[in-house]
Amino acid sequence: MAMCAFQLRINEVAVVTTFGKPSVVAEPGFQWRLPWPMQQVRLFDNRTHVLSGTQEEVTTGDSINLVVRPFLTWRIDDHLKFSKSLGTMTEAESALRSSLSSLLGSVFVNHKLGDFIGVDRASGLVQIETEIRQAFEQQLPSDYGLAVEFVGVSELVLPADNTNSVIARMKREHAAIAETIRIKGETEANIIRSRADSAGTARLADAKAKAQDIRSTAMAEAAENYEAFSEDVDFALFLRNLDALEDAMGPATLIVDPSMPPFHMLLPDGEQVK
C-alpha cells in the first residue's frame, strides 16, 4: 500500500516526478501514486523557518569592531526550483548562512557605531536589517526557489579589549554634538529675543503716537467747547447740571436734598438754591 499512496500533511508540499517530469501537489490528505521508479515523491515543509547565524566580527564605518549574530526567516517559494537546485533543508540553510555571513561586513561598513548604540539605535538597526534583506534579494540566485522574509540582529557586542576606548570616544562625540545643539539653541534664542524687542519697541512707539493723536484731538475739542461756553457761563452751568442730573437718575428710588446741585433743577421755577 505504501508503494501506491502517500500522506500529505497540511504544512507540506509534495514534488511528484513522473517519468522524469516533476509536478507540485499542495492539497493535504491521502494521495495515490505510482510505484518507484515510475513516480518519485519528495515532501517539503511549506512553513516559514528561522535560521540563526554564527557570531561574526564586522567593522563599522568609523573603524570600530563589533561582534554580531544575525538571523533570518525564510521559506520555500518555488518548490520545483528548490527540488532541482538545493533539494534539502540542510543545503538551503547552508547556502543562506554563507550568504548572510558574506553580506554583514559590506552593510555594516556603511554605518557608524552611533547608529547602533546611540539615541537612535532602534532606527539604525532597522535600517541595517532592511539593507541586509535587500542585499539578499539581489544576491540570492533565483533558481534556489527561496524567499527571505526578514533579517534581524539578535546580538550586537563590543569586544572587551576596546570597550573603554569606544566609550571614551563616544563621550567626546556626544559632548561635541551637545555643544553644537547648545550653540544653535542660544543663537535661535537671541534671534527670538531680538525680534520680540523690535516688535515691542514698534508697538510702544505706535501706542505713543496714537495717544498723542487722541490728546491733540481732545485738546482741540476742549478748546472749541471752552470758547463756546465762555460766551454764556450760566447756560454752560445749566447744561452741566442737566448732564449730572441725567447720570444720577435711575430706576432706584432716591432721597436727596433738593437744594444740592444738580437736584435743585427739580425745584419749581423761580426758586433758588440757598
Side-chain angles (χ1 to χ4, degrees):
M1 184 67 177
M3 297 290 294
C4 299
F6 65 94
Q7 182 73 23
L8 192 62
R9 296 184 178 88
I10 193 172
N11 62 293
E12 292 179 328
V13 171
V15 175
V16 180
T17 303
T18 305
F19 298 110
K21 184 178 180 180
S23 62
V24 175
V25 178
E27 185 69 25
F30 184 82
Q31 307 286 341
W32 291 105
R33 55 165 292 184
L34 297 175
W36 186 88
M38 290 180 287
Q39 273 191 340
Q40 181 181 8
V41 178
R42 302 179 68 184
L43 302 179
F44 298 104
D45 195 326
N46 201 35
R47 294 173 294 185
T48 298
H49 305 276
V50 178
L51 173 67
S52 179
T54 58
Q55 284 189 335
E56 304 283 346
E57 186 166 341
V58 296
T59 303
T60 65
D62 47 356
S63 302
I64 301 298
N65 291 334
L66 294 175
V67 177
V68 179
R69 183 189 294 275
F71 72 94
L72 60 83
T73 59
W74 66 280
R75 60 180 174 82
I76 301 174
D77 186 53
D78 189 320
H79 292 81
L80 288 179
K81 289 182 178 180
F82 180 79
S83 65
K84 291 179 181 179
S85 58
L86 297 173
T88 64
M89 303 292 286
T90 302
E91 288 295 327
E93 290 185 350
S94 176
L96 289 171
R97 187 173 283 109
S98 177
S99 296
L100 184 60
S101 177
S102 64
L103 288 173
L104 285 179
S106 62
V107 174
F108 271 81
V109 75
N110 296 323
H111 296 268
K112 295 183 178 181
L113 179 64
D115 294 339
F116 316 117
I117 59 178
V119 176
D120 298 327
R121 58 186 179 278
S123 59
L125 282 175
V126 170
Q127 180 64 27
I128 282 286
E129 293 166 350
T130 301
E131 290 179 12
I132 297 176
R133 182 180 58 79
Q134 292 173 346
F136 246 110
E137 294 175 351
Q138 297 175 1
Q139 178 174 308
L140 199 64
S142 60
D143 60 354
Y144 279 4
L146 300 179
V148 176
E149 297 182 339
F150 181 79
V151 177
V153 175
S154 59
E155 292 183 23
L156 186 65
V157 183
L158 278 170
D161 55 351
N162 64 354
T163 300
N164 292 334
S165 61
V166 169
I167 292 176
R169 177 177 175 178
M170 288 186 61
K171 285 182 177 179
R172 292 193 299 269
E173 291 177 353
H174 287 185
I177 294 173
E179 181 65 16
T180 301
I181 294 174
R182 185 188 65 80
I183 294 174
K184 182 179 179 181
E186 289 183 353
T187 302
E188 293 180 354
N190 290 332
I191 293 174
I192 292 172
R193 279 194 292 265
S194 177
R195 290 176 179 173
D197 291 341
S198 299
T201 301
R203 290 181 181 179
L204 181 59
D206 185 58
K208 288 182 178 180
K210 289 181 179 179
Q212 184 62 37
D213 291 341
I214 294 172
R215 188 180 298 110
S216 299
T217 302
M219 291 179 66
E221 292 179 355
E224 292 178 0
N225 292 335
Y226 178 78
E227 183 178 354
F229 289 154
S230 63
E231 297 177 358
D232 192 340
V233 177
D234 291 336
F235 181 66
L237 291 176
F238 175 75
L239 292 178
R240 289 190 59 184
N241 286 329
L242 282 180
D243 291 339
L245 182 62
E246 183 180 356
D247 293 338
M249 299 302 289
T253 301
L254 299 177
I255 300 175
V256 299
D257 184 356
S259 63
M260 295 179 60
F263 300 105
H264 71 283
M265 302 289 295
L266 302 175
L267 293 175
D269 293 342
E271 293 190 22
Q272 301 294 327
V273 179
K274 296 181 180 180

